Amino acid sequence: IISPLLSVAVLGGQLASAKRLNEGTSADDELKLFVRDVDRVALAGKVEMMCFDKTGTITKGGLDLIGFVYGHSAEPKSSPAFHEFLPDQAKKAEVPELVSLGLAVTHTVSRLGDRYIGHQVELRMVEAAEAMGWKFDQSMKHVDDWSIERQWTFDHHTMTMSVIVTSPDSEDASVFVKGSFEAISGRCAEDPSAKAEGWNWNDVVEGYSSEGCYVIAIAHRSIPKAQAGQIGRDSAETRLSFLGLIAFRNEPKHDSAEHLATLASGGVGCVMVTGDSALTGIAIARTVGIVPEGHRVVLGSVSDSDQVEWREIRDRSQQIQNGAASSESLPDIEIEVAEEDQIKERVTEGLSSLTRESKSSRKKSRNTEQIQQENSERTTLAVTGDAFAVLLQQGLLPDLMSPISVGPKLRVYGRMTPQQKVQVVQGYAAHGLTVGMCGDGGNDSGALRAAHAGLALSGRAEASVAAPFSTGSESLGALVLLLREGRASLCTSFAAYRFLVVRGIVWTQAKNIMLLIAGLYLAPLAYVYLDMLTISLLLWTISLAKPSPTLAPRPPEGSLFGPQNVIGATISCINSLFILAVLLVLLFSQPWFVPFETGAELFNWQARSDNYESPIFFVFVTWHMVDLSIMYSAGHLFREPFIKNRSLLVVTAAVSIPVLILLFTGDTDFNCAFKVNCDRFTYYKLKASVVNYFLFPYEQIGGSDWFHSKDSTTFPILFRVGVFFVLLVGSAIHQTLYRFIVLGYPVQEYIPRKWGWDDGRTARFINAVSRTTDRMKGRAAETQMREVDPPKDQTYPSSFSLK
């Protein structure tokens, strides 16, 4: 029953998909993906939750520096103005000296010939500085008469990058620090908003971030030159003077929204996990559809009292003037954990206060609880990295990330460190979800490695090395293609596995029936044809099924004990054995039929194939395997129809035609080689066949022995037609049952919904059985140890001795 090809069958679909991805033959646009871990291909087909980086993944890799907000220009009663940057009109004199110098030196860009190499943000800063008139040397360590003495690269934990620069014309050394506004403002000697009346810098930053801008802050301090080579980073990045903000624009890629919509319609949840501002992430998420249309967004951030505060972030059409983000404070989110581990999350008092107007417009008959629940379900949550850490420490984050929660969904994570990105992936995986990650930078490497299926875009080395999948393409279409191939690979692997299992069960029962009838065997060449040629070729062609051109609305079944595999295999076994029974009844009822009898030893199989029965079994088993290969290659939702698998069509024809020739011809050398429609005299002549030079002695054909009582076992022509008709009708019934039951509503919809028989329940059942088996083995081992090594204080009768 157990075929040695089972391990190859499971791997065959994944290898075929990996080859298509590597060669770019999966899609019309010739997208290529490099597959480092073939085992992950099938896992990609089960992805239920997809995490995305923002910059370079959802948005374009390049940034445009669009302007500045100067710290010194702010008036106490009015927020500062935005100064647009135009490269062709930029002049150093029009920008405050320290801001201009900070722009030129606060970077880690290097030069290779005339080409700059570095992070996109810093490249745009250097280009802007050049446009203003700053001159860089080849080492990028000298800018005009300023020299970079110390340099600390960007730290994902402090969210800062800093340099120390000196000039012969300056008595002191200058420290410039850039980073997130939160990090910079916390390192300033004086709160930048201390003198503001009616506004604050946080609102300004949030305003630009809500418009989808990437905003960084820059600050400065002076130190004695003697300390330039001795001062540590922590000391250098304190008591700063706030210089202002630098704003960049990062637009979504032209096809990001389209592909994200495809993923959503394909049953894949999408969340954004970015190191940028949460407000920028929210703006982009709204644009590309990660935040569903019509959803309100509630952002969780950490207050001065180290508690998570929730406030609503209005859409850009509702932004208040002067760049400040319109938001309303919300009371705490109340998380109620119900029985049976069903998590119900509701934004209670806060959302009810935010939706009073919508309540008043609804019918009075609807109670407050119903309206509140409806409002909470149309709410998307977002968190900052600090809020993420607090919620995780308080044990509330797993409930907010639960896939079975009722109410607001957490879809945007902002200001996340690389380690926190890993924690997001692990958090969703802990809920039993198959998690994917898509990113393009080194800060995504950990999450790409931690995910079940990680895809690195744009071919950047630091991310590609860590990810099991990578591509030089910048489009999310590569991710859609990976999921399509993964789903096709998973279906193909299960189809090949089911093919071997059903073939093994049916063929084993057929051999048992042959032995029970009269110890029958097939002709030696028939075994060679079935076991070495037919099964290998059919298995190979099953694995060549290509993915469906569109992403199906849900992932495929992912368990060998799922309803599709179990019910499909059961129907195939019952139908095939029923066909065999009909063929045998048809044979036994014929007036010319003579049962086979022999007194030869059972191991003498050459003496047990000269009969009427064995050819029926040979024709049946060959037809049965061809029928299974076609049926299990049915396209359905995840693969192209079998009619497009040209290799399958060619091989099934090549396998079937010789058997049909054997069935409808008679008394030829070819017939007698397989002992189908053969007679004694033709068989004798085969002894001199050249075929015997390639066969073992026990497999050779022809000879002087004929073991049936009749000189010929050729079937009448009418009987041959009858056999062919039974096989055709049986296959038609088989295909109909499979398509309407296994691929139709009963197995695909009714049974999983009504009985709850799905991958999750199957996994729990298998785990329960495994735990029970382990406990039984443990008890058996303990019992055996007691018997072998009894307690030392145990006493025995004097007549009993231990040897």
Side-chain angles (χ1 to χ4, degrees):
I1 296 178
I2 305 300
S3 172
L5 293 174
L6 276 177
S7 58
V8 178
V10 173
L11 191 59
Q14 300 178 62
L15 288 172
S17 291
K19 182 180 179 181
R20 288 193 295 267
L21 290 171
N22 288 332
E23 295 177 350
T25 58
S26 293
D28 295 335
D29 50 4
E30 298 183 353
L31 277 173
K32 290 185 179 181
L33 279 77
F34 178 67
V35 180
R36 293 181 60 248
D37 189 348
V38 174
D39 291 337
R40 299 289 186 99
V41 175
L43 277 176
K46 284 297 296 175
V47 167
E48 302 161 277
M49 179 62 68
M50 201 71 212
C51 302
F52 293 92
D53 179 42
K54 180 182 73 68
T55 305
T57 303
I58 293 176
T59 61
K60 297 176 182 177
L63 293 169
D64 296 321
L65 196 156
I66 61 173
F68 308 94
V69 181
Y70 305 135
H72 72 277
S73 66
E75 298 293 333
K77 295 184 178 180
S78 61
S79 59
F82 180 79
H83 298 269
E84 185 178 6
F85 173 74
L86 300 174
D88 55 343
Q89 301 178 15
K91 295 180 180 179
K92 186 190 304 185
E94 295 179 356
V95 180
E97 181 181 0
L98 288 177
V99 174
S100 176
L101 177 59
L103 194 71
V105 299
T106 316
H107 63 81
T108 57
V109 173
S110 58
R111 175 180 279 176
L112 182 62
D114 295 332
R115 180 184 176 189
Y116 292 127
I117 301 173
H119 189 274
Q120 288 290 328
V121 170
E122 296 181 344
L123 288 175
R124 300 293 88 77
M125 292 173 63
V126 168
E127 291 170 359
E130 275 194 323
M132 293 176 184
W134 292 98
K135 304 296 182 182
F136 297 88
D137 73 343
Q138 188 64 31
S139 70
M140 301 296 291
K141 297 295 184 182
H142 302 281
V143 186
D144 287 355
D145 58 348
W146 289 90
S147 299
I148 300 177
E149 303 294 339
R150 302 281 297 279
Q151 185 182 76
W152 290 287
T153 59
F154 183 77
D155 188 317
H156 289 287
H157 296 286
T158 63
M159 292 290 183
T160 59
M161 180 270 170
S162 55
V163 295
I164 298 178
V165 296
T166 60
S167 172
D169 299 332
S170 176
E171 297 181 356
D172 295 328
S174 294
V175 179
F176 288 93
V177 185
K178 69 177 174 68
S180 69
F181 173 77
E182 298 89 343
I184 296 299
S185 63
R187 288 167 170 75
C188 289
E190 182 182 7
D191 183 0
S193 301
K195 298 180 180 180
E197 298 179 13
W199 66 276
N200 61 68
W201 279 100
N202 284 315
D203 289 340
V204 175
V205 173
E206 289 182 359
Y208 294 119
S209 297
S210 297
E211 292 288 342
C213 294
Y214 177 70
V215 181
I216 62 173
I218 188 168
H220 166 267
R221 66 171 291 194
S222 297
I223 60 173
K225 281 187 176 181
Q227 295 184 13
Q230 303 173 0
I231 192 171
R233 178 171 187 170
D234 292 339
S235 299
E237 294 181 355
T238 57
R239 293 181 292 167
L240 302 173
S241 297
F242 181 69
L243 295 179
L245 305 175
I246 306 174
F248 302 83
R249 176 74 70 182
N250 186 214
E251 297 292 341
K253 298 173 184 175
H254 70 280
D255 58 354
S256 290
E258 175 188 352
H259 293 308
L260 287 169
T262 300
L263 293 174
S265 64
V268 180
C270 298
V271 298
M272 180 187 291
V273 189
T274 177
D276 294 349
S277 162
L279 291 170
T280 305
I282 290 170
I284 298 298
R286 275 175 165 151
T287 302
V288 299
I290 290 180
V291 175
E293 186 176 357
H295 272 223
R296 69 190 68 234
V297 178
V298 178
L299 174 64
S301 56
V302 176
S303 65
D304 295 336
S305 59
D306 293 332
Q307 296 296 318
V308 177
E309 290 184 348
W310 300 91
R311 57 201 175 104
E312 182 182 9
I313 305 300
R314 303 282 188 180
D315 201 351
R316 66 177 61 183
S317 61
Q318 298 174 324
Q319 297 291 320
I320 62 173
Q321 299 297 323
N322 298 325
S326 174
S327 60
E328 298 188 29
S329 296
L330 293 176
D332 293 338
I333 289 185
E334 179 181 336
I335 302 173
E336 175 186 353
V337 182
E339 294 181 358
E340 300 180 0
D341 296 331
Q342 293 182 350
I343 309 302
K344 297 183 178 180
E345 305 171 11
R346 296 178 181 176
V347 180
T348 53
E349 299 175 6
L351 282 181
S352 62
S353 65
L354 288 171
T355 56
R356 287 172 185 166
E357 294 182 3
S358 62
K359 288 181 182 178
S360 62
S361 64
R362 298 180 184 272
K363 294 182 179 180
K364 296 181 179 180
S365 60
R366 300 183 63 185
N367 59 50
T368 303
E369 184 177 354
Q370 289 176 321
I371 297 173
Q372 182 178 349
Q373 178 64 22
E374 184 176 296
N375 288 331
S376 66
E377 290 177 354
R378 292 180 59 80
T379 297
T380 287
L381 299 181
V383 293
T384 63
D386 292 339
F388 178 89
V390 172
L391 292 171
L392 185 62
Q393 183 179 11
Q394 294 175 349
L396 299 178
L397 196 62
D399 295 342
L400 290 171
M401 299 174 70
S402 172
I404 61 173
S405 64
V406 177
K409 305 294 183 183
L410 189 51
R411 293 187 173 95
V412 180
Y413 303 79
R415 288 281 184 243
M416 302 292 283
T417 65
Q419 180 57 35
Q420 286 178 324
K421 291 186 177 185
V422 174
Q423 290 173 333
V424 171
V425 171
Q426 294 173 338
Y428 285 116
H431 285 292
L433 298 175
T434 304
V435 186
M437 174 70 193
C438 188
D440 73 318
N443 60 342
D444 303 317
S445 298
L448 289 169
R449 190 183 300 110
H452 294 98
L455 173 62
L457 296 181
S458 304
R460 291 190 175 92
E462 60 271 23
S464 300
V465 170
F469 307 100
S470 61
T471 177
S473 172
E474 297 182 352
S475 172
L476 290 181
L479 175 63
V480 176
L481 175 61
L482 174 61
L483 265 58
R484 284 170 44 212
E485 276 288 4
R487 293 181 177 188
S489 168
L490 188 62
C491 289
T492 298
S493 295
F494 282 151
Y497 191 93
R498 192 161 62 245
F499 169 81
L500 289 178
V501 169
V502 172
R503 183 262 181 191
I505 293 173
V506 172
W507 183 216
T508 299
Q509 300 310 314
K511 287 190 288 186
N512 289 337
I513 295 172
M514 291 172 66
L515 293 173
L516 288 174
I517 291 175
L520 304 175
Y521 281 95
L522 301 183
L525 273 185
Y527 283 110
V528 174
Y529 187 80
L530 290 175
D531 295 336
M532 294 187 63
L533 184 66
T534 303
I535 191 171
S536 301
L537 288 176
L538 291 176
L539 196 61
W540 169 66
T541 57
I542 289 174
S543 69
L544 298 181
K546 288 189 175 183
S548 170
T550 58
L551 192 67
R554 56 176 175 78
E557 181 176 282
S559 172
L560 287 173
F561 297 98
Q564 182 169 332
N565 281 318
V566 173
I567 296 175
T570 302
I571 289 176
S572 296
C573 289
I574 294 174
N575 183 83
S576 299
L577 293 174
F578 177 75
I579 294 173
L580 177 60
V582 172
L583 291 174
L584 291 177
V585 169
L586 181 64
L587 175 65
F588 296 158
S589 65
Q590 299 302 312
W592 44 261
F593 171 71
V594 176
F596 178 69
E597 295 180 1
T598 182
E601 295 293 340
L602 187 61
F603 62 81
N604 187 5
W605 62 351
Q606 282 281 24
R608 295 178 175 272
S609 55
D610 299 327
N611 52 70
Y612 287 108
E613 295 94 331
S614 294
I616 292 296
F617 282 95
F618 173 61
V619 172
F620 159 74
V621 171
T622 308
W623 186 277
H624 162 72
M625 287 196 291
V626 171
D627 182 35
L628 285 180
S629 66
I630 292 175
M631 187 173 66
Y632 291 163
S633 297
H636 194 220
L637 299 175
F638 311 105
R639 294 177 293 171
E640 288 185 342
F642 77 90
I643 199 71
K644 293 188 177 182
N645 188 343
R646 296 179 181 177
S647 299
L648 176 67
L649 297 178
V650 171
V651 168
T652 52
V655 168
S656 303
I657 290 174
V659 177
L660 292 176
I661 292 174
L662 290 173
L663 179 62
F664 286 103
T665 60
D667 302 333
T668 66
D669 291 351
F670 183 60
N671 287 95
C672 288
F674 289 88
K675 292 190 176 181
V676 179
N677 290 330
C678 180
D679 69 280
R680 179 195 302 267
F681 306 105
T682 306
Y683 181 73
Y684 285 167
K685 295 186 297 182
L686 292 178
K687 184 64 177 177
S689 174
V690 294
V691 176
N692 286 328
Y693 289 104
F694 303 98
L695 300 176
F696 292 106
Y698 59 85
E699 295 175 333
Q700 291 180 356
I701 58 178
S704 57
D705 296 323
W706 181 262
F707 298 95
H708 199 275
S709 58
K710 296 179 66 174
D711 290 336
S712 175
T713 56
T714 302
F715 298 128
I717 187 63
L718 189 60
F719 178 78
R720 302 178 202 178
V721 174
V723 169
F724 184 66
F725 178 76
V726 170
L727 293 174
L728 278 180
V729 173
S731 293
I733 295 173
H734 194 194
Q735 299 284 343
T736 301
L737 290 174
Y738 191 82
R739 289 183 180 276
F740 284 94
I741 295 179
V742 179
L743 300 183
Y745 174 77
V747 171
Q748 300 295 324
E749 301 291 341
Y750 181 80
I751 290 178
R753 186 178 69 248
K754 189 71 174 180
W755 297 358
W757 186 3
D758 53 16
D759 289 350
R761 175 164 290 188
T762 302
R764 290 192 294 272
F765 172 76
I766 294 175
N767 290 335
V769 172
S770 177
R771 288 193 298 268
T772 303
T773 303
D774 291 342
R775 285 196 295 268
M776 294 175 64
K777 288 181 179 179
R779 294 192 191 103
E782 291 176 3
T783 303
Q784 186 176 7
M785 290 180 64
R786 291 194 202 99
E787 294 175 352
V788 174
D789 187 17
K792 295 181 179 180
D793 58 350
Q794 183 171 342
T795 59
Y796 300 91
S798 57
S799 60
F800 188 89
S801 63
L802 290 175
K803 296 183 180 180

